[in-house]
Amino acid sequence: MLARPGDALIDTERPIVKETTALVASLSLLEKAALLSGANTWQTRAIERADIPAVWMADGPHGVRRQVGSADHLGINGSEPATCFPTAATVAGSWDDELAEEIGTALGREASSQGVGVLLGPGLNIKRSPLGGRSFEYFSEDPELSGRLAAAYVRGIQSEGVAATPKHFAVNSQELRRMVSDSVIDERTLREIYLTAFEIVVREASPWGIMSSYNLVNGSYAHENAHLLIDILRQEWGFSGAVVSDWGGSNDAVAAAAAGGTIEMPSPGFDSVRQIVAAVESGVLSEADVDARAAEVIDLVRRVTAQPRASVDLDAHHALARRAAAESAVLLRNEDALLPLAGGTSVGLIGAFATAPRYQGAGSSLVHATRVPTLVDAVGESTLTLEGVAEGFRRDGIRDDELHREAVALACRAEVVILALGLPEIAESEGLDRSTLQLPAEQVRLLREVRAANPRTVVVLSAGGVVETPWAEDAAALLHAYLGGQAGAEAIVDVLTGAVEPGGRLAETMPIRLADTPTAGMFPSTARTAEYREGPFIGYRYYETAEVPVAFPFGFGLGYTTFSYSELVADAEGVEVTVTNTGDRNGSDVAQLYVARLGTSGVTRPARELKGYAKVRLAAGESRRIRIPFGPRTFRYFDAVADAWQVEAGEYEVAVGSHVRDLPVRATISREGVDVSAPTERPADPLRARPTARIDDSTFAAMLGRSLPDAAWGTGPLAENDPMDRLATAKSPLARAGFRLLDSRRRKAEAAGEPDLNILFLLNGPFRVISKMSGGLATSRLTAAILTLVNGQTIRGLARVIAAYFGGRRDEKATKKAFDAAATKRSI
């Protein structure tokens, strides 16, 4: 049975894909070039005569989003129902590789059941700043934790015959102008912080795909960055899969094919196909590069069509989502052991999130959940007694004293208040970075009024990242539930009642204030470049080295029992330590291994770095001897001069404990390696002037090993890779009017509390998306013609637009006709 262009996975009869090299050799240049871009928004191209079927792709960091009907890449239109698991930021709190692999397996199974062959996730960008608008999709500020959890997801997804595509490769830290921003970063920071998680995934889980990011990295777009895609990803790490562009993230199809970018998504029509064919025929592009990319597509197709569609038990997946959310929630405060709540306790449920939970973020990861119980539902099914429910505050932040009065009255009647606070939808979204770490002021005012009425107030926080907590002492207990997926409300009640031990630990530091963060005042960058001047000193690496006080440290989390660490022994291969549950309840802790270089070093290093961990579950009073092994990443640093990983000879402290600021057992070991007592690296000490001053231009240039690129947008004519929000300064009055219309829609949506993702995408995106996202309705020639108009040549621009549109339509029809004739013709 042959696959049809609209087919994805075939249940039992599958096309027999020929051996890849011979199959590539049998294809025409047009056919090979056509494989390197999508057929539509979500499918690859089929070549029927060669038994190459089309394959469905779908978003899926925490749930499958296979769209039905009108397709888009921003989560706006509907999708098939699927289990919405907790987001990556939530699951990271579990520090549990096995749980992550279970979730990955469930994601892969649901994808398979819906005919999806390529799942776009997991996301594992490092959280450079807590203001990152998409932080809810990413695991941690630490690459070791991020990489191990992502690798577990990938193993699970691919065990079901579905390709995982870890994303976004690489250095994609901000949403503002994400498609045009150039991440300027020194090689050591690039390798140690922003690539290590991807390296772990590639080496330990062998993903069949990788998604490249929108941004440039040191002057080259990620999807055509040979240093990333060939030198590091393929040659150094041994990656053999396909590199898929983020949607609209391909800049130059010819450059991408040469640099290791495999598939451009979504379909740009046949515009890129014509460019690749012309480049080969003119000698600009080697046909061998096209062959290599086509082979990667064919290998991907072979892998994801090798198994029949799976069946799914949605009840079991909901139960898994509930367990994952419960085991990932982080208890930050529990004064006088208020929690767990005993059966029969009278509780008042207060807060807008009690009746309409925030359980996922906005954007391309938006999942059409199979069910979403509320806190009201969950309390009703628990052993607690529900005294009443009060909305308490408006989601849009507007003051409402009547809602406050109702909430305070309920607080006076209940034994315990469960106050559901959190960030509104507009605060966390793809395409929009956060502007503050504060909770809305009306929620904080409500907390203080409720607490005055009833000191036994438990705050449940729903947010995809960290918030400032100057109000924490007004809460007798504080549970950070993050975004818990469709079963998050049930999981919260499980934790509050003690049905599940709160075993979550922070995967990111909670600072006291935004001003304390290492990128304060620099993030997000509004310039052409985003300069990573802080080097490797982000998250706890910065706070520990600069000795900055924090609200809650990296790795922190309370439970309903206590643990002790003792008898640490270190040898050449790892450490052993005894962990004891010293309380009277069963529970779990995360034994965290940190490494620090002792003595004088020629290498500027963070004070300590996470290098291993183990989730430990112990019965009350139980002790267990555990081992955390060393590995190839434990002592290494990247030597930018030698362009190689090195181990510095000398003494190291290895320490184990429950979080980065509680490491009770330590040992000293020596390692052989290179002598760098006389510094040979280019970078000056990036902390020499910290924490009171920033890295200056000359020091940052020394870190880079080159002069700084121009950060200004310039004043000349707008070009295809300028962001469309620069229409505000265009010469054409018509273009400026267009900007005012778009910006007014953006402001209206934000005022309503719901981000307009289409508008954000357009304003942050470059002009080239006009052709790249059109599905063939527009070509690069039309984009150039529109820019002529935008830059003030009205009559000439209009003439060129008309000519380019009709000429592009003719070209599209001709190329499609030639491809269809070749792709459907049977071999004799």
Side-chain angles (χ1 to χ4, degrees):
M1 176 180 176
L2 292 177
R4 300 179 300 276
D7 287 343
L9 300 177
I10 307 299
D11 285 285
T12 54
E13 296 183 78
R14 294 179 298 277
I16 300 171
V17 182
K18 302 174 185 176
E19 194 275 327
T20 302
T21 303
L23 182 53
V24 170
S26 74
L27 301 178
S28 68
L29 175 59
L30 177 63
E31 290 172 318
K32 291 183 291 190
L35 286 175
L36 307 191
S37 54
N40 48 46
T41 303
W42 294 113
Q43 287 178 291
T44 61
R45 280 200 173 95
I47 300 179
E48 182 178 314
R49 72 167 187 87
D51 287 334
I52 301 173
V55 171
W56 271 96
M57 301 185 183
D59 280 303
H62 53 269
V64 181
R65 190 176 72 86
R66 186 184 189 277
Q67 286 192 296
V68 293
S70 180
D72 70 89
H73 71 293
L74 294 171
I76 297 171
N77 294 317
S79 58
E80 294 187 20
T83 305
C84 181
F85 289 94
T87 66
T90 312
V91 176
S94 73
W95 292 61
D96 190 333
D97 299 358
E98 293 182 1
L99 176 62
E101 188 163 344
E102 282 188 73
I103 295 171
T105 301
L107 288 169
R109 195 163 189 83
E110 291 199 20
S112 173
S113 74
Q114 294 187 18
V116 171
V118 179
L119 199 59
L120 305 176
L124 63 151
N125 290 97
I126 298 302
K127 299 182 183 183
R128 181 188 178 212
S129 167
L131 292 178
R134 215 168 171 178
S135 289
F136 61 88
E137 282 192 54
Y138 304 137
F139 292 104
S140 176
E141 66 191 31
D142 181 81
E144 182 73 21
L145 179 57
S146 296
R148 282 181 53 176
L149 290 171
Y153 268 71
V154 170
R155 287 191 296 270
I157 292 167
Q158 294 188 168
S159 70
E160 296 295 322
V162 173
T165 54
K167 62 183 185 181
H168 304 90
F169 190 66
V171 205
N172 178 206
S173 301
Q174 69 179 56
E175 292 299 289
L176 180 66
R177 292 173 170 169
R178 58 183 178 169
M179 299 182 76
V180 295
S181 178
D182 184 2
S183 298
V184 179
I185 186 170
D186 68 281
E187 189 71 13
R188 181 182 171 200
T189 301
L190 173 69
R191 296 301 200 100
E192 292 186 8
I193 303 298
Y194 296 96
L195 295 190
T196 289
F198 285 98
E199 179 187 2
I200 294 170
V201 171
V202 171
R203 293 188 185 277
E204 298 185 3
S206 300
W208 300 342
I210 288 277
M211 181 187 284
S212 59
S213 57
Y214 281 130
N215 54 289
L216 300 89
V217 179
N218 290 329
S220 296
Y221 273 101
H223 195 62
E224 57 195 57
N225 191 309
H227 182 52
L228 289 177
L229 303 185
I230 294 180
D231 298 344
I232 297 174
L233 180 63
R234 298 184 189 282
Q235 294 182 355
E236 183 178 326
W237 299 346
F239 176 73
S240 61
V243 176
V244 182
S245 78
D246 203 341
W247 266 232
S250 176
N251 170 56
D252 183 327
V254 173
T262 310
I263 306 175
E264 175 181 356
M265 293 298 291
S267 174
F270 285 88
D271 199 26
S272 293
V273 176
R274 288 190 296 275
Q275 293 171 21
I276 291 171
V277 170
V280 172
E281 291 176 344
S282 65
V284 172
L285 176 65
S286 168
E287 189 165 359
D289 288 330
V290 179
D291 290 350
R293 305 291 83 80
E296 291 156 12
V297 176
I298 292 168
D299 282 343
L300 178 66
V301 171
R302 174 188 290 121
R303 284 165 163 162
V304 304
T305 55
Q307 293 181 207
R309 292 191 185 189
S311 59
V312 172
D313 183 342
L314 291 176
D315 290 336
H317 284 187
H318 183 82
L320 172 59
R322 179 173 179 169
R323 174 162 60 89
E327 294 187 6
S328 302
V330 183
L331 183 63
L332 298 175
R333 184 174 170 86
N334 191 21
E335 294 301 293
D336 300 323
L338 175 59
L339 300 177
L341 300 176
T345 301
S346 164
V347 299
L349 269 181
I350 299 175
F353 301 116
T355 53
R358 266 213 69 209
Y359 59 97
Q360 62 179 325
S364 60
S365 66
L366 195 70
V367 180
H368 179 191
T370 60
R371 67 194 85 167
V372 186
T374 67
L375 271 175
V376 176
D377 299 328
V379 169
E381 294 179 359
S382 74
T383 58
L384 301 174
T385 300
L386 183 60
E387 180 66 30
V389 181
E391 184 177 355
F393 58 86
R394 287 179 50 157
R395 238 174 165 93
D396 60 10
I398 295 176
R399 181 171 180 143
D400 191 321
D401 290 336
E402 180 60 29
L403 291 181
H404 280 227
R405 284 191 289 270
E406 292 172 358
V408 170
L410 175 58
C412 292
R413 300 196 306 270
E415 291 181 66
V416 173
V417 172
I418 299 175
L419 182 55
L421 305 180
L423 295 178
E425 285 77 4
I426 193 67
E428 298 178 296
S429 171
E430 179 176 357
L432 188 69
D433 293 304
R434 294 169 65 181
S435 60
T436 178
L437 297 184
Q438 297 175 355
L439 275 184
E442 282 302 291
Q443 293 188 35
V444 176
R445 184 169 75 92
L446 174 66
L447 165 61
R448 289 174 174 153
E449 292 177 2
V450 166
R451 190 258 186 191
N454 188 337
R456 290 165 61 82
T457 296
V458 178
V459 169
V460 175
L461 183 63
S462 296
V466 303
V467 297
E468 294 174 2
T469 55
W471 42 263
E473 292 188 0
D474 290 307
L478 172 58
L479 180 70
H480 194 340
Y482 277 82
L483 299 178
Q486 67 180 50
E490 295 168 319
I492 288 168
V493 173
D494 287 342
V495 172
L496 297 182
T497 59
V500 175
E501 164 76 12
R505 304 294 182 259
L506 287 175
E508 54 191 329
T509 307
M510 293 186 68
I512 293 175
R513 60 187 68 86
L514 177 61
D516 294 337
T517 64
T519 57
M522 299 191 298
F523 185 99
S525 172
T526 59
R528 183 182 292 276
T529 59
E531 297 178 342
Y532 287 58
R533 293 190 178 222
E534 69 281 0
F537 296 92
I538 65 163
Y540 74 86
R541 286 171 166 79
Y542 167 67
Y543 302 117
E544 296 308 300
T545 306
E547 299 180 341
V548 176
V550 301
F552 299 101
F554 179 80
F556 175 81
L558 301 173
Y560 297 150
T561 186
T562 54
F563 295 85
S564 68
Y565 291 80
S566 61
E567 301 173 328
L568 176 71
V569 175
D571 56 37
E573 304 300 324
V575 299
E576 289 189 0
V577 63
T578 298
V579 184
T580 301
N581 182 341
T582 55
D584 57 4
R585 293 175 61 99
N586 299 344
S588 64
D589 200 13
V590 179
Q592 302 167 34
L593 167 67
Y594 294 87
V595 173
R597 173 74 168 87
L598 299 177
T600 303
S601 170
V603 180
T604 302
R605 294 174 180 269
R608 57 180 52 89
E609 297 179 278
L610 179 74
K611 294 298 180 179
Y613 59 88
K615 185 91 172 190
V616 187
R617 293 177 172 83
L618 298 173
E622 181 184 1
S623 292
R624 186 179 306 161
R625 193 80 176 155
I626 66 166
R627 183 171 183 83
I628 304 176
F630 299 149
R633 300 182 298 274
T634 305
F635 300 99
R636 73 180 189 177
Y637 76 97
F638 193 80
D639 186 333
V641 172
D643 192 31
W645 291 101
Q646 308 275 22
V647 173
E648 181 185 11
E651 291 190 329
Y652 293 81
E653 179 186 78
V654 292
V656 177
S658 59
H659 60 79
V660 71
R661 291 192 171 175
D662 180 20
L663 302 171
V665 288
R666 308 181 183 214
T668 300
I669 64 171
S670 295
R671 305 298 287 190
E672 296 182 352
V674 297
D675 181 4
V676 288
S677 56
T680 59
E681 294 186 301
R682 286 188 293 265
D685 183 349
L687 279 188
R688 186 164 294 154
R690 280 191 184 275
T692 60
R694 298 290 186 183
I695 297 297
D696 59 25
D697 286 356
S698 61
T699 303
F700 188 48
M703 292 168 64
L704 295 173
R706 60 185 185 277
S707 58
L708 302 185
D710 187 2
W713 288 105
T715 58
L718 297 179
E720 64 176 6
N721 281 325
D722 281 314
M724 282 193 269
D725 64 5
R726 296 199 68 216
L727 284 169
T729 62
K731 290 185 178 180
S732 167
L734 183 62
R736 294 196 299 273
F739 169 78
R740 289 193 295 271
L741 176 62
L742 291 173
D743 194 51
S744 66
R745 286 186 57 184
R746 175 191 64 81
R747 287 185 278 107
K748 182 179 179 181
E750 291 180 4
E754 292 285 348
D756 188 323
L757 299 177
N758 269 328
I759 296 299
L760 289 173
F761 183 82
L762 288 173
L763 290 174
N764 284 318
F767 287 92
R768 73 167 190 274
V769 302
I770 295 170
S771 59
K772 292 293 185 181
M773 300 292 291
S774 72
L777 290 177
T779 63
S780 54
R781 181 183 168 195
L782 180 58
T783 300
I786 291 172
L787 283 166
T788 302
L789 179 64
V790 165
N791 286 315
Q793 300 182 52
T794 305
I795 296 175
R796 178 177 295 179
L798 285 171
R800 289 182 175 178
V801 166
I802 293 169
Y805 176 76
F806 287 104
R809 299 309 300 148
R810 286 193 300 271
D811 291 343
E812 277 293 298
K813 289 179 180 178
T815 310
K816 185 177 186 303
K817 182 178 180 180
F819 172 75
D820 288 344
T824 57
K825 183 179 179 181
R826 295 297 302 164
S827 300
I828 298 176

